[in-house]
Amino acid sequence: STVDPRTTYTPPKAGDRTRVGSATVLNTVSATHAFSNPKTKDTFVLQLRGSRILTGQAHLIVLSSTGDTLRHEVMPARALLHEQELSDPQSASVRDKEIAILKGMNSFFAVGHFSQPAVPTGAEQPAELDTKTWAALREDPTAVGFDYTGMGGAEHRMAYVRKLGKAIVISQ
């Protein structure tokens, strides 16, 4: 490779139809928000890659302020399609669905999707998290949670556990 592996990854600008590997980048939205460090803002990127909007893949990438990748998750573009945005989901055209996916991308990083603390006080430990991770997350009142819809329409909450130095996903 001719690229220095120590260089900081900079996501393409919104509307830039570049190529990543064999896939075309169809749309990119990004936002900055405090996540891994309360003093600096991390970059949240949602990038739609593929040949068409409906069949593409949405890449959710969280980059720290220093350029490290904290999380990279891939989901089908249809996961961004919310049925309530369509007037009639049964008879919606391909264009209507594509517009709904692009609108979903634009509102993906809305301020209301971020919460602090990441875990409400009375919340019970989810089965998929071990006790050590759950305790570290509950001990940190400055931890930020990010709510999003993942594969299959399931609600997820992402949080960064500073004590362990990793981003985790809690299924809702």
Side-chain angles (χ1 to χ4, degrees):
S1 174
T2 59
V3 179
D4 183 9
R6 293 177 298 257
T7 58
T8 304
Y9 170 74
T10 307
K13 303 214 177 340
D16 187 14
R17 293 178 66 99
T18 59
R19 294 184 68 76
V20 176
S22 63
T24 301
V25 176
L26 300 172
N27 192 23
T28 303
V29 286
S30 62
T32 57
H33 200 281
F35 186 67
S36 64
N37 185 345
K39 295 178 181 78
T40 61
K41 292 192 174 197
D42 297 330
T43 304
F44 288 76
V45 179
L46 184 65
Q47 194 174 71
L48 186 62
R49 301 177 189 171
S51 56
R52 301 195 59 197
I53 293 174
L54 276 178
T55 59
Q57 299 286 316
H59 291 253
L60 173 59
I61 306 164
V62 182
L63 302 168
S64 70
S65 58
T66 58
D68 295 330
T69 302
L70 301 176
R71 181 101 182 143
H72 185 167
E73 190 172 319
V74 182
M75 61 187 120
R78 288 186 179 269
L80 303 170
L81 184 62
H82 299 291
E83 299 291 328
Q84 63 267 23
E85 287 185 17
L86 299 171
S87 57
D88 185 11
Q90 297 296 326
S91 66
S93 68
V94 170
R95 184 171 188 269
D96 292 339
K97 290 178 182 177
E98 289 177 342
I99 290 170
I101 288 172
L102 294 174
K103 283 182 179 178
M105 285 184 74
N106 289 339
S107 63
F108 197 78
F109 299 120
V111 176
H113 292 221
F114 292 91
S115 59
Q116 192 175 6
V119 178
T121 359
E124 292 187 25
Q125 178 178 343
E128 72 270 5
L129 276 185
D130 61 279
T131 311
K132 179 180 168 187
T133 305
W134 182 249
L137 188 59
R138 294 209 38 158
E139 290 170 6
D140 187 4
T142 62
V144 175
F146 171 63
D147 297 323
Y148 65 100
T149 305
M151 286 200 282
E155 289 291 321
H156 297 294
R157 173 169 288 175
M158 183 188 306
Y160 188 81
V161 184
R162 275 187 205 84
K163 195 173 186 180
L164 303 176
K166 65 179 182 177
I168 60 160
V169 174
I170 307 166
S171 294
Q172 298 283 342

